[in-house]
Amino acid sequence: TLPSDELSVENGLMVTRGRRWPLMIDPQGQANRWVRKMGKEKKIIITKLSDPIYLRKLEQCIRNGNALLIENVEEVLDPALEPVLAKATFKRGAQLFLRLGTED
């Protein structure tokens, strides 16, 4: 669980209620453990940017409505993540799409 101090409670609210994807700087690993515990019953998928198939995992999570935790993110993100982070969706007919890499 997260500590019960005011800052931790506010951060927890932003993660669970925010409109944007959270980026957590977590040197003690508290937020990581908290997200893993909260996502356990929802079958959260955990990966790293160094994983050669992380984009496939991301695509499957988007398609299936699963959560994805990307651990150990460095200062520079993969540009393929930009449309996801920006929630850059587009309509084709009645369906909503998101371009991930070269695929819709």
Side-chain angles (χ1 to χ4, degrees):
T1 63
L2 286 178
S4 58
D5 63 278
E6 187 175 337
L7 182 61
S8 295
V9 170
E10 287 176 5
N11 288 339
L13 284 170
M14 285 191 281
V15 168
T16 58
R17 305 277 188 236
R19 290 182 167 188
R20 299 184 56 106
W21 311 115
L23 172 63
M24 294 176 274
I25 299 169
D26 185 28
Q28 296 174 336
Q30 292 173 321
N32 187 300
R33 286 189 300 274
W34 179 69
V35 169
R36 283 172 172 259
K37 184 177 178 183
M38 286 193 48
K40 200 170 213 169
E41 67 183 44
K42 296 179 183 176
K43 298 181 181 159
I44 190 170
I45 305 298
I46 300 165
T47 191
K48 296 179 175 147
L49 291 177
S50 60
D51 182 349
I53 62 167
Y54 92 89
L55 278 176
R56 249 185 276 158
K57 290 179 181 179
L58 174 60
E59 179 185 354
Q60 286 304 312
C61 285
I62 291 170
R63 286 183 192 274
N64 299 325
N66 295 77
L68 178 74
L69 173 63
I70 303 175
E71 297 180 319
N72 301 332
V73 174
E74 299 292 330
E75 291 181 31
V76 178
L77 289 174
D78 183 342
L81 291 174
E82 183 60 33
V84 177
L85 296 174
K87 297 184 181 180
T89 58
F90 61 94
K91 260 189 161 175
R92 187 180 293 154
Q95 289 187 310
L96 211 54
F97 285 86
L98 175 87
R99 177 158 282 126
L100 182 60
T102 59
E103 296 189 32
D104 295 345

